[in-house]
Every structure is written in structure tokens, then in C-alpha cells.
Amino acid sequence: MALFRALFLALLAGAHAELPGCKIRVTSKALELVKQEGLRFLEQELENITIPDLRGREGHFYYNISEKVYDFLSTFITSGMRFLLNQQICPVLYHSGMVLLNSLLDTVPVRSPVDELVGIDYSLLKDPVASSNLDMDFRGAFFPLAEGNWSLPNRAVEPQLQEEERMVYVAFSEFFFDSAMESYFRAGALQLSLVGDEVPHDLDMLLRASYFGSIVLLSPAVIDSPLKLELRVTAPPRCTIKPSGTTISVTASVTIAMVPPSQPEVQLSSMIMDARLSAKMALRGKALRTQLDLRRFRIYSNQSALESLALIPLQAPLKAMLQIGVMPMLNERTWRGVQIPLPEGINFVREEVTNHAGFLTIGADLHFAKGLREVIEKNRPANARDAQAPSAPPASTAASTAAV
């Protein structure tokens, strides 16, 4: 009975475990690069140590330790050498390893704004798994800044990482992108309104000709008023990732109206627009960027099939308007990208994107755009930067370090 209960609780816990929207694998190649950079930094720290000359006698042992020359007249370590380690070298190693390197990790974004509307949460869902590689599971979820406690349930396929050839692999599930689009939808960003001269001239003429029968029935004050074209996404767009590519499905309402000055607008027509966009992902620096392209587009009436037939002439000009006027605005935003959780000064280079069923992976190498010392000095607390010498660790810590 106890075994059954334990099994049931384990299954229950697994059923409620949160799936990651983003995974990162740091391979042994990257770990070696970071190790070498860290050792280079520690060497620079040790070069700054000023060691006073130590001379003395302890029993039959004479010692003379200068800043450059170490003249040992015995094969065992005396209390004078322990004193030197405890007072000079151990505090520097402790300070560099425990304080300064932590300032580098503090530059990794965890929960931060992407822009004025949306933020992203890169919280770790569990402890990293270390073997020959370092595997990390992140929440990888966007959220509207006005609703900081809102979260989209993750029901997507869990991304998998199997490769080890490159320094770093990053995997994103469909949930990662769905949460972004739903957050912008909830923030009210997925809508566009064009009025008067903002409507392309050729499209304005075509719309007036298409709805001429309705327009001539309006009062003279309304007939020559500006035209309004409004697009409003009616439901959060959805991402589909397949080995053949990544697509975004969008459904929106399209409203055409006359906007007479100082009078209520007069609606001419309302229709539904279905669009499918292709999406190409890339890593630049440490930002995930997206390039969108309009692939499929159709409009239809939600009133009648007859009205849908009447909308066919508008199909091509509306699609052209989206490609010329709307897609550049979308791509300007998506190409700015969203930051991947990497410390400051480390960038991705030579990336390669691979699509799978329900997720995509990006393999890349790492490049230190800044030296480790430069990043740490930039993020070092002011009081530590102004200090003449690093603070010593607790006595027990220093002693244990010296003993090692």
C-alpha cells in the first residue's frame, strides 16, 4: 500500500511539473572556453597582489620571501607560509571567485521587460544537470507587463536537446512563441488603424469603387469624408513548428468605414481575414530574431457567401497593402529580437537553426565580445571598486582554503 501511495504521489507530481519553453545545453567545448577565460581573470587578479618581504627564523629553518624570489631552505611548509597564504592569496581567490564572478552571473536576465508592453521570464524550473554538458530548463514565457502575474499554460511539446558538436544549443518550443503573441494580444498591440492619407491611394480608390453603391446613399457631407481601414486580430496568433518550417496563423477582422469630421463614423463593410506567415529564426549576438513573410491570405464575409464573392476583387490590393505597409512594421519589431539568458559580454556566433516537430533548436559557438575582467569591473559594486584591497573571508574559510 505504501509503495502504491508513493507511486501515485510521484505520478501526481509529474503531472503538475511545469514544462520548459526554453532549454539551453552548454557543451564541454563551451565549459572549457569559460574555464580558460576564468583562469586568465584569476591570473590577472593574482598579478595585482603586493606581497611584503618576509624574513625570519623558526628553529633551524631560515626563510627569506621576497616579492619576486622565493628562497625556501626547508621542504615543509611552516607557519610563516600559512600566514602568507591566509593573509594575501586566499582573500583574493575568495573575493574573485565568490564576489566578482557572481557579478557576472548577475548580468544574466531572469525576468525582464522586452519593450514597453511585454516582458519575459527565464526562471530556472529545476537545478541544472551537469555531466559532460550542462543542461538547463527555463520557463521561457512572455507576459504582458500590465498583468505581471498572468501566465499561459504550457501544453506544447517539450523541446529536446541531443546534439553536442557546437558549444551551445538552445531549444524553443511552440509555447515560447505562443506566449509572446498572446502577451502582445492581451496588451492590445495587435491592431492597426489607417485613416485618410494613411490608406494607400490606389487602395482608397478601389475601396470607394467597390462600395460605391453604399456610399452614394449617404448624405453629401459623408460621401467625400476620409476612409478608414481597421485591422484587429480577434484571437491570439498561434505558432506551428514542423521540420519543413515555422508558420504563424493569424485571424483578424477588417473594418472599412467613412469618417466624417465631427460625426460618428459610418461602417461600409466588415470582413474576416485569415493569414499565414512564415517565420525564420536567427541568433545575432545574444538576441533571438525573427523574420516574417506573408504566405497565404484570404478575406471572406461573416455575413453571407454572396458577400464573400463580392470581396474577391479586394483580395489582391489588401494583400499588397499588408506586404508593403504592415509587414515592414512587424519585422522592424521582431528583428530587434529578445535576449537569450547569457551573461554580458558573451555572444553567439556561427549559428545553425534546425526545425523539429513542435520545437526548434539553434546550435552556435560562443565569443567573448568583452574580456571577463571588463565585464566584472563594469558590474562590480562601487564600494568594492573603490576598496584598496579585497575583504578577507571568514577565518574558517581562509584556513580551509590554505589547507587545501
Side-chain angles (χ1 to χ4, degrees):
M1 185 66 180
L3 179 61
F4 175 78
R5 175 180 174 83
L7 180 60
F8 174 76
L9 291 176
L11 291 173
L12 185 64
H16 291 281
E18 183 176 354
L19 293 177
C22 171
K23 285 187 175 184
I24 293 182
R25 164 170 287 181
V26 182
T27 68
S28 57
K29 295 180 181 179
L31 294 175
E32 182 63 26
L33 175 66
V34 175
K35 173 186 173 182
Q36 294 302 321
E37 192 71 19
L39 289 175
R40 188 177 299 112
F41 169 73
L42 289 179
E43 289 174 0
Q44 293 170 347
E45 286 290 292
L46 290 174
E47 287 175 358
N48 295 328
I49 299 176
T50 300
I51 303 177
D53 291 351
L54 294 177
R55 296 184 178 87
R57 172 180 178 179
E58 187 169 330
H60 295 289
F61 173 64
Y62 294 86
Y63 57 89
N64 179 3
I65 304 176
S66 65
E67 195 168 318
K68 300 288 184 180
V69 181
Y70 297 86
D71 183 15
F72 296 100
L73 302 179
S74 177
T75 59
F76 61 91
I77 299 177
T78 66
S79 58
M81 191 61 192
R82 293 192 185 96
F83 173 82
L84 175 64
L85 288 170
N86 287 337
Q87 297 299 317
Q88 299 292 334
I89 298 178
C90 290
V92 172
L93 293 176
Y94 174 84
H95 190 262
S96 298
M98 299 301 292
V99 179
L100 298 181
L101 293 180
N102 280 341
S103 68
L104 175 66
L105 299 178
D106 287 341
T107 67
V108 178
V110 177
R111 188 177 172 92
S112 58
V114 175
D115 52 29
E116 69 280 2
L117 297 175
V118 165
I120 189 166
D121 187 346
Y122 278 123
S123 300
L124 270 172
L125 297 182
K126 61 181 181 181
D127 292 337
V129 177
S131 56
S132 58
N133 306 312
L134 181 65
D135 291 333
M136 295 169 285
D137 291 0
F138 296 92
R139 177 167 289 122
F142 291 78
F143 60 92
L145 295 178
E147 304 176 71
N149 295 325
W150 174 85
S151 62
L152 178 69
N154 186 352
R155 300 186 179 92
V157 173
E158 181 176 358
Q160 303 295 325
L161 288 172
Q162 306 295 336
E163 302 90 341
E164 297 182 354
E165 290 76 19
R166 308 297 289 274
M167 289 186 179
V168 175
Y169 289 91
V170 188
F172 302 97
S173 72
E174 292 173 346
F175 166 80
F176 181 87
F177 303 102
D178 284 347
S179 68
M181 293 181 290
E182 181 138 351
S183 295
Y184 281 107
F185 176 79
R186 295 177 71 93
L190 303 185
Q191 52 185 305
L192 175 68
S193 182
L194 303 176
V195 181
D197 293 340
E198 296 174 338
V199 180
H201 179 68
D202 291 345
L203 181 59
D204 183 285
M205 293 180 60
L206 179 61
L207 289 174
R208 290 180 184 274
S210 300
Y211 295 99
F212 178 78
S214 300
I215 293 176
V216 295
L217 298 178
L218 301 175
S219 65
V222 176
I223 291 177
D224 295 326
S225 58
L227 200 66
K228 176 182 177 181
L229 179 64
E230 183 179 74
L231 285 78
R232 184 184 298 270
V233 175
T234 56
R238 285 292 174 255
C239 172
T240 302
I241 302 176
K242 297 180 179 180
S244 57
T246 302
T247 58
I248 309 293
S249 299
V250 184
T251 300
S253 65
V254 181
T255 302
I256 301 169
M258 307 294 291
V259 188
S262 305
Q263 295 184 43
E265 65 181 50
V266 179
Q267 181 174 310
L268 298 177
S269 179
S270 177
M271 64 195 81
I272 302 298
M273 178 194 78
D274 283 341
R276 181 167 295 180
L277 316 176
S278 65
K280 293 183 178 181
M281 315 301 175
L283 280 179
R284 295 291 187 274
K286 62 166 66 61
L288 175 67
R289 305 174 190 269
T290 305
Q291 178 75 27
L292 299 174
D293 188 22
L294 181 61
R295 290 300 185 186
R296 288 181 53 189
F297 171 85
R298 73 183 184 104
I299 54 174
Y300 60 93
S301 172
N302 54 1
Q303 302 295 327
S304 68
L306 186 61
E307 187 174 351
S308 295
L309 290 174
L311 295 175
I312 291 178
L314 297 178
Q315 182 108 355
L318 281 176
K319 183 177 182 180
M321 183 209 67
L322 290 175
Q323 290 175 322
I324 297 172
V326 177
M327 296 305 299
M329 291 190 296
L330 286 177
N331 280 317
E332 190 278 329
R333 173 61 195 88
T334 59
W335 195 247
R336 275 185 273 162
V338 59
Q339 188 171 351
I340 304 302
L342 272 184
E344 183 179 340
I346 302 178
N347 291 332
F348 293 105
V349 293
R350 296 182 291 275
E351 79 284 351
E352 183 179 11
V353 181
T354 304
N355 277 40
H356 305 271
F359 65 96
L360 60 85
T361 60
I362 304 178
D365 293 330
L366 293 180
H367 170 68
F368 276 87
K370 299 179 181 178
L372 192 57
R373 168 172 290 279
E374 181 183 352
V375 175
I376 289 177
E377 288 294 337
K378 177 182 176 182
N379 295 279
R380 187 197 299 258
N383 55 351
R385 193 161 44 239
D386 296 337
Q388 296 298 319
S391 302
S396 60
T397 304
S400 63
T401 306
V404 174

